[in-house]
Amino acid sequence: MTDNAKGAFRNVIFQGDSVARMRAMPSGIVDFILTDPPYLVNYRGRDGRTVRNDDNAAWLRPAFNQMHRVLKDGGFAVSFYAWNRIDLFMAAWKAAGFRPVGHIIFRKSYASSSRFVRYTHEAAYLLAKGDAKLPHQPIPDVIDMPYSGNRMHPTQKPVAALLPLVHAFCPPGGLVLDPFAGSGSSLVAAQHLGRDWLGMELDEVHAATASRRLAYWGEKRAA
Ligand SMILES: C[S@@+](CC[C@H](N)C(=O)[O-])C[C@H]1O[C@@H](n2cnc3c(N)ncnc32)[C@H](O)[C@@H]1O
């Protein structure tokens, strides 16, 4: 594939199914994957909003297989997941070829719900492909997560909590992929740090939100 063709996968949001989109990509062109996929918990917010594909796992293994293929050898992926679906997620990550090399806790100042305990954290695994090198200065595996407000997406992640991950695991000028982009928070983090970004999102409204956000912050950077 020519450099021009590879450029077709930089700084763009694709609206549609990310499994199909990734299948059309060359192997090994992504430097870092930062993704917050559906949690498989049939999410319904207090305001009634839902998340597409949160009610079935048909996409899970195909999606992580493709993520592993498009990631460069020695690259990292950070994937959020739901603690009560860890069996499904871990099986998919390992079947795809990923090696779990870290577990990151995002400490929230609020509870997303309260049942047997007050649920005040989010979690993600750091996954490696192949011969990943140790970082010179490892980041802590506990990161503060302020409330995003969920104004642009029902499960919107705050950009501030994602910045350290992009900084640590994507080299300057590298390409960050989020195949479950939602409102584009991970891509905004990549853009803020001068990395290239590639987003995929099934939902038309969220894909449009992400495109607007990236265009807005892109203009701010250029100004
Ligand atoms: C947990 S949300 C991501 C929210 C995002 N982190 C943010 O800050 O806005 C997961 C997203 O994956 C999308 N999605 C579900 N299945 C998909 C698929 N097959 N291809 C692309 N996007 C998909 C959903 O529409 C949803 O917006």
Side-chain angles (χ1 to χ4, degrees), residues 7-74:
F9 298 103
R10 285 189 179 247
N11 304 324
V12 63
I13 309 270
F14 290 134
Q15 190 268 313
D17 171 30
S18 57
V19 175
R21 289 291 187 173
M22 285 188 282
R23 281 191 180 129
M25 290 174 64
S27 301
I29 66 163
V30 168
D31 293 279
F32 175 50
I33 296 172
L34 177 53
T35 195
D36 174 27
Y39 277 11
L40 304 175
V41 294
N42 231 336
Y43 176 85
R44 180 172 287 274
R46 295 185 184 101
D47 54 8
R49 289 187 293 175
T50 57
V51 172
R52 303 268 295 265
N53 272 334
D54 207 42
D55 59 350
N56 77 90
W59 53 271
L60 183 63
R61 286 191 180 220
F64 280 99
N65 288 345
Q66 288 305 314
M67 283 187 237
H68 189 269
R69 187 184 63 75
V70 300
L71 185 64
K72 72 176 185 189
D73 192 42

Coordinates of all heavy atoms in Angstrom, one line a residue, residues 7-74:
G7 N -2.5 7.3 4.1 CA -3.0 8.6 4.5 C -4.5 8.6 4.6 O -5.0 9.5 5.3
A8 N -5.1 7.8 3.9 CA -6.6 7.7 3.9 C -7.1 7.3 5.3 O -8.3 7.4 5.6 CB -7.1 6.7 2.8
F9 N -6.2 6.7 6.1 CA -6.6 6.3 7.4 C -6.1 7.2 8.5 O -6.1 6.8 9.7 CB -6.1 4.8 7.7 CG -6.6 3.8 6.7 CD1 -5.9 3.4 5.6 CD2 -7.9 3.4 6.8 CE1 -6.4 2.5 4.7 CE2 -8.5 2.5 5.9 CZ -7.7 2.0 4.8
R10 N -5.8 8.4 8.2 CA -5.3 9.4 9.2 C -6.2 10.6 9.3 O -6.6 11.1 8.3 CB -3.9 9.9 8.8 CG -2.8 8.8 9.1 CD -1.4 9.2 9.0 NE -0.6 8.1 9.4 CZ 0.2 8.0 10.4 NH1 0.3 9.1 11.2 NH2 0.9 7.0 10.7
N11 N -6.5 10.9 10.6 CA -7.3 12.1 10.9 C -8.7 12.1 10.2 O -9.0 13.1 9.6 CB -6.5 13.4 10.6 CG -5.1 13.3 11.3 OD1 -5.1 12.8 12.4 ND2 -4.1 13.8 10.7
V12 N -9.4 11.0 10.4 CA -10.7 10.9 9.8 C -11.6 10.0 10.7 O -11.0 9.2 11.5 CB -10.6 10.2 8.4 CG1 -10.0 8.8 8.5 CG2 -11.9 10.2 7.6
I13 N -12.9 10.3 10.7 CA -13.8 9.5 11.4 C -14.6 8.7 10.4 O -15.2 9.3 9.5 CB -14.9 10.3 12.2 CG1 -14.2 11.3 13.1 CG2 -15.8 9.4 13.0 CD1 -13.8 10.9 14.5
F14 N -14.7 7.4 10.5 CA -15.5 6.6 9.6 C -16.8 6.2 10.3 O -16.7 5.7 11.4 CB -14.8 5.3 9.2 CG -13.6 5.4 8.3 CD1 -12.4 4.7 8.6 CD2 -13.7 6.2 7.2 CE1 -11.4 4.9 7.7 CE2 -12.6 6.4 6.3 CZ -11.4 5.7 6.6
Q15 N -17.9 6.6 9.7 CA -19.2 6.1 10.3 C -19.5 4.8 9.7 O -19.5 4.6 8.5 CB -20.3 7.2 10.0 CG -21.6 6.9 10.7 CD -22.6 6.1 10.0 OE1 -22.8 6.3 8.8 NE2 -23.1 5.1 10.7
G16 N -19.8 3.8 10.7 CA -20.1 2.5 10.2 C -19.6 1.4 11.2 O -19.0 1.8 12.2
D17 N -19.7 0.2 10.8 CA -19.3 -0.9 11.6 C -17.8 -1.0 11.6 O -17.2 -1.2 10.5 CB -19.9 -2.2 11.1 CG -19.3 -3.4 11.8 OD1 -18.9 -3.3 12.9 OD2 -19.3 -4.5 11.1
S18 N -17.1 -1.0 12.8 CA -15.7 -0.9 12.8 C -15.0 -2.2 12.4 O -13.9 -2.2 11.9 CB -15.2 -0.4 14.2 OG -15.6 -1.3 15.2
V19 N -15.7 -3.3 12.6 CA -15.1 -4.6 12.2 C -14.9 -4.6 10.6 O -13.8 -4.9 10.1 CB -16.0 -5.8 12.6 CG1 -15.4 -7.1 12.1 CG2 -16.1 -5.8 14.1
A20 N -15.9 -4.2 9.9 CA -15.8 -4.1 8.5 C -14.8 -3.1 8.0 O -14.0 -3.3 7.1 CB -17.2 -3.7 7.9
R21 N -14.8 -1.9 8.8 CA -13.8 -0.8 8.4 C -12.4 -1.3 8.6 O -11.5 -1.0 7.8 CB -14.1 0.4 9.3 CG -15.4 1.1 8.9 CD -15.2 1.8 7.5 NE -16.3 2.6 7.2 CZ -16.4 3.4 6.1 NH1 -15.3 3.5 5.3 NH2 -17.4 4.1 5.9
M22 N -12.2 -2.0 9.8 CA -10.8 -2.4 10.0 C -10.4 -3.5 9.0 O -9.2 -3.6 8.7 CB -10.7 -2.9 11.5 CG -10.6 -1.8 12.5 SD -10.3 -2.4 14.2 CE -11.8 -3.1 14.7
R23 N -11.3 -4.4 8.6 CA -10.9 -5.4 7.6 C -10.4 -4.8 6.3 O -9.6 -5.4 5.6 CB -12.2 -6.3 7.3 CG -12.4 -7.3 8.4 CD -13.5 -8.3 8.0 NE -13.6 -9.3 9.1 CZ -14.8 -9.6 9.6 NH1 -15.9 -9.1 9.1 NH2 -14.9 -10.4 10.6
A24 N -10.8 -3.5 6.1 CA -10.3 -2.9 4.8 C -9.0 -2.2 5.0 O -8.5 -1.5 4.1 CB -11.4 -1.9 4.4
M25 N -8.4 -2.3 6.2 CA -7.1 -1.6 6.5 C -6.0 -2.5 6.3 O -6.1 -3.7 6.6 CB -7.1 -1.1 8.0 CG -8.1 0.1 8.3 SD -8.1 0.5 10.0 CE -6.4 1.0 10.3
P26 N -4.8 -1.9 5.9 CA -3.6 -2.7 5.9 C -3.2 -3.1 7.3 O -3.5 -2.5 8.3 CB -2.5 -1.8 5.3 CG -3.2 -0.5 5.1 CD -4.6 -0.5 5.6
S27 N -2.4 -4.2 7.4 CA -1.9 -4.7 8.7 C -0.8 -3.7 9.3 O 0.0 -3.2 8.5 CB -1.3 -6.1 8.6 OG -2.3 -7.0 8.1
G28 N -0.8 -3.6 10.6 CA 0.4 -3.0 11.2 C 0.6 -1.5 11.0 O 1.7 -1.0 11.2
I29 N -0.5 -0.8 10.7 CA -0.3 0.7 10.4 C -0.6 1.6 11.6 O -0.5 2.8 11.6 CB -1.0 1.2 9.2 CG1 -2.5 1.1 9.4 CG2 -0.6 0.4 8.0 CD1 -3.3 2.0 8.4
V30 N -1.2 1.0 12.7 CA -1.6 1.7 13.9 C -0.6 1.6 15.0 O 0.0 0.6 15.3 CB -3.0 1.2 14.4 CG1 -3.3 1.8 15.7 CG2 -4.1 1.5 13.4
D31 N -0.2 2.8 15.6 CA 0.8 2.8 16.7 C 0.2 2.5 18.0 O 0.9 2.0 18.9 CB 1.5 4.2 16.7 CG 2.3 4.4 15.4 OD1 3.4 3.9 15.4 OD2 1.8 5.1 14.5
F32 N -1.1 2.9 18.3 CA -1.6 2.8 19.6 C -3.2 2.7 19.5 O -3.7 3.5 18.7 CB -1.2 3.9 20.5 CG -1.8 3.9 21.9 CD1 -1.8 2.8 22.7 CD2 -2.4 5.1 22.4 CE1 -2.4 2.8 24.0 CE2 -3.0 5.2 23.6 CZ -3.0 4.0 24.4
I33 N -3.8 1.8 20.2 CA -5.3 1.7 20.2 C -5.7 2.1 21.6 O -5.2 1.6 22.6 CB -5.7 0.3 19.9 CG1 -5.3 -0.1 18.5 CG2 -7.3 0.2 20.0 CD1 -5.6 -1.5 18.1
L34 N -6.7 3.1 21.6 CA -7.3 3.5 22.9 C -8.8 3.4 22.7 O -9.3 4.2 21.9 CB -6.8 4.9 23.2 CG -7.4 5.6 24.5 CD1 -7.3 4.7 25.7 CD2 -6.8 7.0 24.7
T35 N -9.4 2.5 23.3 CA -10.8 2.3 23.0 C -11.7 1.9 24.2 O -11.2 1.4 25.2 CB -11.0 1.2 21.9 OG1 -12.3 1.2 21.4 CG2 -10.7 -0.2 22.5
D36 N -12.9 2.3 24.1 CA -13.9 2.2 25.2 C -15.1 1.5 24.5 O -16.1 2.2 24.2 CB -14.2 3.6 25.6 CG -15.3 3.7 26.7 OD1 -15.6 2.7 27.4 OD2 -16.0 4.8 26.7
P37 N -15.0 0.2 24.4 CA -16.1 -0.5 23.6 C -17.4 -0.6 24.4 O -17.4 -0.4 25.6 CB -15.5 -1.9 23.3 CG -14.5 -2.1 24.4 CD -14.0 -0.7 24.8
P38 N -18.5 -1.1 23.8 CA -19.7 -1.4 24.6 C -19.3 -2.4 25.7 O -18.5 -3.3 25.5 CB -20.6 -2.0 23.6 CG -20.2 -1.4 22.3 CD -18.7 -1.3 22.4
Y39 N -19.9 -2.2 26.9 CA -19.6 -3.0 28.1 C -20.3 -4.3 28.2 O -20.1 -5.0 29.1 CB -19.8 -2.1 29.3 CG -18.7 -1.2 29.7 CD1 -17.7 -0.9 28.9 CD2 -18.8 -0.5 31.0 CE1 -16.7 0.0 29.2 CE2 -17.8 0.4 31.3 CZ -16.7 0.7 30.5 OH -15.8 1.5 30.9
L40 N -21.3 -4.5 27.3 CA -22.1 -5.8 27.3 C -22.9 -5.9 28.5 O -23.1 -6.9 29.1 CB -21.1 -7.0 27.2 CG -20.2 -7.0 26.0 CD1 -19.3 -8.2 26.0 CD2 -21.0 -7.0 24.7
V41 N -23.5 -4.7 29.0 CA -24.3 -4.7 30.2 C -25.7 -4.2 29.9 O -26.4 -3.9 30.9 CB -23.6 -3.8 31.3 CG1 -22.3 -4.5 31.8 CG2 -23.4 -2.4 30.8
N42 N -26.1 -4.1 28.6 CA -27.4 -3.6 28.3 C -27.6 -2.2 28.9 O -28.7 -2.0 29.6 CB -28.5 -4.5 28.8 CG -29.4 -4.8 27.7 OD1 -29.6 -4.0 26.7 ND2 -30.1 -6.0 27.7
Y43 N -26.7 -1.3 28.8 CA -26.7 0.0 29.4 C -27.9 0.8 29.1 O -28.3 0.9 27.9 CB -25.4 0.8 29.0 CG -25.4 2.2 29.6 CD1 -24.9 2.4 30.8 CD2 -25.9 3.3 28.8 CE1 -24.9 3.7 31.4 CE2 -25.9 4.5 29.3 CZ -25.4 4.8 30.6 OH -25.5 6.1 31.1
R44 N -28.6 1.4 30.1 CA -29.6 2.3 29.9 C -29.4 3.4 31.0 O -29.5 3.1 32.2 CB -31.0 1.7 30.0 CG -32.2 2.7 29.8 CD -33.5 2.0 29.8 NE -33.7 1.3 28.5 CZ -34.2 1.8 27.4 NH1 -34.5 3.1 27.4 NH2 -34.3 1.1 26.3
G45 N -29.1 4.6 30.6 CA -28.9 5.7 31.5 C -30.2 6.2 32.2 O -31.3 5.8 31.8
R46 N -30.0 7.0 33.2 CA -31.2 7.5 33.9 C -32.1 8.3 33.0 O -33.3 8.3 33.2 CB -30.7 8.4 35.1 CG -30.0 7.7 36.2 CD -29.6 8.5 37.4 NE -28.8 7.8 38.3 CZ -27.5 7.9 38.4 NH1 -26.8 8.7 37.6 NH2 -26.8 7.1 39.2
D47 N -31.5 8.9 32.0 CA -32.3 9.6 31.0 C -32.8 8.7 29.8 O -33.3 9.2 28.8 CB -31.5 10.8 30.4 CG -30.1 10.3 29.8 OD1 -29.9 9.0 29.7 OD2 -29.3 11.1 29.5
G48 N -32.6 7.4 29.9 CA -33.1 6.5 28.9 C -32.2 6.2 27.7 O -32.5 5.4 26.9
R49 N -31.0 6.9 27.7 CA -30.1 6.7 26.5 C -29.4 5.4 26.6 O -29.1 4.9 27.7 CB -29.0 7.8 26.5 CG -29.6 9.2 26.1 CD -28.5 10.2 25.9 NE -27.8 10.5 27.1 CZ -26.7 11.3 27.2 NH1 -26.2 11.9 26.1 NH2 -26.2 11.6 28.4
T50 N -29.2 4.7 25.5 CA -28.6 3.4 25.4 C -27.3 3.5 24.6 O -27.0 4.5 24.0 CB -29.6 2.4 24.8 OG1 -29.9 2.9 23.5 CG2 -30.8 2.2 25.6
V51 N -26.6 2.4 24.5 CA -25.3 2.3 23.7 C -25.5 1.1 22.7 O -25.9 0.0 23.1 CB -24.1 2.0 24.6 CG1 -22.9 1.8 23.8 CG2 -23.9 3.2 25.5
R52 N -25.3 1.4 21.4 CA -25.4 0.4 20.4 C -24.5 -0.8 20.7 O -23.3 -0.6 21.1 CB -25.1 1.0 19.0 CG -25.9 2.2 18.6 CD -27.1 1.8 17.8 NE -26.8 1.2 16.5 CZ -26.8 1.9 15.4 NH1 -27.0 3.2 15.3 NH2 -26.6 1.2 14.2
N53 N -25.0 -2.0 20.4 CA -24.2 -3.2 20.6 C -23.8 -3.5 22.0 O -22.9 -4.3 22.3 CB -23.0 -3.2 19.7 CG -23.3 -3.8 18.3 OD1 -24.2 -4.6 18.2 ND2 -22.5 -3.4 17.4
D54 N -24.5 -2.9 23.0 CA -24.2 -3.2 24.4 C -25.0 -4.4 24.9 O -24.8 -4.9 26.0 CB -24.5 -2.0 25.3 CG -23.7 -1.9 26.5 OD1 -22.5 -2.2 26.5 OD2 -24.3 -1.7 27.6
D55 N -25.8 -4.9 24.0 CA -26.7 -6.1 24.3 C -26.3 -7.4 23.7 O -27.0 -8.4 23.8 CB -28.1 -5.7 23.9 CG -28.2 -5.5 22.4 OD1 -27.2 -5.4 21.7 OD2 -29.3 -5.4 21.9
N56 N -25.1 -7.4 23.0 CA -24.7 -8.6 22.4 C -23.2 -8.6 22.2 O -22.6 -7.5 22.1 CB -25.4 -8.8 21.1 CG -24.8 -8.0 20.0 OD1 -23.8 -8.4 19.3 ND2 -25.2 -6.8 19.8
A57 N -22.6 -9.8 22.2 CA -21.1 -9.9 22.1 C -20.7 -10.4 20.7 O -19.5 -10.8 20.5 CB -20.5 -10.8 23.2
A58 N -21.5 -10.3 19.7 CA -21.2 -10.9 18.4 C -20.0 -10.2 17.8 O -19.2 -10.7 17.1 CB -22.4 -10.8 17.5
W59 N -19.8 -8.9 18.1 CA -18.8 -8.1 17.6 C -17.4 -8.2 18.3 O -16.4 -7.8 17.8 CB -19.2 -6.6 17.6 CG -19.6 -6.2 19.0 CD1 -20.8 -6.3 19.6 CD2 -18.7 -5.8 20.1 NE1 -20.8 -5.9 20.9 CE2 -19.5 -5.6 21.2 CE3 -17.3 -5.5 20.2 CZ2 -18.9 -5.2 22.5 CZ3 -16.8 -5.1 21.4 CH2 -17.6 -5.0 22.5
L60 N -17.5 -8.8 19.5 CA -16.3 -8.7 20.4 C -15.0 -9.3 19.9 O -14.0 -8.7 19.8 CB -16.7 -9.3 21.8 CG -15.7 -9.2 22.9 CD1 -15.3 -7.8 23.3 CD2 -16.2 -9.9 24.1
R61 N -15.1 -10.6 19.6 CA -13.9 -11.3 19.1 C -13.5 -10.8 17.7 O -12.3 -10.5 17.5 CB -14.1 -12.8 19.1 CG -14.1 -13.3 20.5 CD -14.1 -14.8 20.6 NE -14.0 -15.3 21.9 CZ -13.3 -16.3 22.4 NH1 -12.5 -17.0 21.5 NH2 -13.3 -16.7 23.6
P62 N -14.4 -10.6 16.7 CA -13.9 -10.1 15.5 C -13.3 -8.7 15.6 O -12.3 -8.4 14.9 CB -15.2 -10.0 14.6 CG -16.2 -11.0 15.3 CD -15.8 -11.0 16.7
A63 N -13.8 -7.9 16.5 CA -13.2 -6.5 16.6 C -11.8 -6.6 17.2 O -10.9 -6.0 16.7 CB -14.1 -5.7 17.5
F64 N -11.6 -7.4 18.3 CA -10.2 -7.5 18.8 C -9.3 -8.2 17.9 O -8.1 -7.9 17.9 CB -10.3 -8.0 20.3 CG -10.7 -6.9 21.2 CD1 -12.0 -6.8 21.7 CD2 -9.8 -5.9 21.6 CE1 -12.3 -5.8 22.5 CE2 -10.1 -4.9 22.4 CZ -11.4 -4.8 22.9
N65 N -9.8 -9.2 17.1 CA -8.9 -9.8 16.1 C -8.4 -8.8 15.1 O -7.2 -8.7 14.8 CB -9.7 -10.9 15.3 CG -10.0 -12.1 16.2 OD1 -9.4 -12.3 17.3 ND2 -10.9 -12.9 15.8
Q66 N -9.3 -7.9 14.7 CA -8.9 -6.9 13.7 C -8.0 -5.8 14.4 O -7.0 -5.4 13.7 CB -10.1 -6.2 13.1 CG -10.9 -7.1 12.1 CD -10.0 -7.6 11.0 OE1 -9.2 -6.9 10.4 NE2 -10.1 -8.9 10.8
M67 N -8.3 -5.5 15.6 CA -7.4 -4.5 16.3 C -6.0 -5.0 16.4 O -5.0 -4.3 16.1 CB -7.9 -4.2 17.7 CG -9.1 -3.3 17.7 SD -9.6 -2.8 19.4 CE -11.3 -3.3 19.4
H68 N -5.9 -6.3 16.7 CA -4.5 -6.9 16.8 C -3.8 -6.9 15.5 O -2.6 -6.6 15.4 CB -4.7 -8.4 17.3 CG -3.3 -9.0 17.7 ND1 -2.6 -9.7 16.8 CD2 -2.6 -9.0 18.8 CE1 -1.5 -10.1 17.3 NE2 -1.5 -9.7 18.6
R69 N -4.5 -7.1 14.4 CA -3.9 -7.2 13.1 C -3.4 -5.8 12.6 O -2.4 -5.7 12.1 CB -5.0 -7.7 12.0 CG -4.4 -8.0 10.7 CD -5.4 -8.4 9.7 NE -6.5 -7.4 9.5 CZ -6.3 -6.3 8.7 NH1 -5.2 -6.1 8.1 NH2 -7.3 -5.5 8.6
V70 N -4.3 -4.8 12.9 CA -3.9 -3.5 12.3 C -2.8 -2.8 13.2 O -2.2 -1.8 12.8 CB -5.1 -2.5 12.1 CG1 -6.1 -3.2 11.1 CG2 -5.8 -2.2 13.4
L71 N -2.7 -3.2 14.4 CA -1.7 -2.6 15.3 C -0.3 -3.1 14.9 O -0.1 -4.2 14.5 CB -1.9 -3.1 16.8 CG -1.1 -2.5 17.9 CD1 -1.3 -1.0 18.0 CD2 -1.4 -3.2 19.2
K72 N 0.7 -2.2 15.0 CA 2.1 -2.6 14.7 C 2.6 -3.5 15.7 O 2.2 -3.6 16.8 CB 3.0 -1.3 14.6 CG 3.3 -0.7 15.9 CD 4.2 0.4 15.9 CE 4.6 0.9 17.3 NZ 5.3 2.2 17.3
D73 N 3.6 -4.3 15.3 CA 4.3 -5.2 16.2 C 5.0 -4.4 17.3 O 5.6 -3.4 17.0 CB 5.2 -6.1 15.5 CG 5.7 -7.3 16.3 OD1 4.8 -7.9 17.0 OD2 6.9 -7.6 16.3
G74 N 4.8 -4.8 18.5 CA 5.4 -4.1 19.7 C 4.5 -3.0 20.2 O 4.9 -2.3 21.1

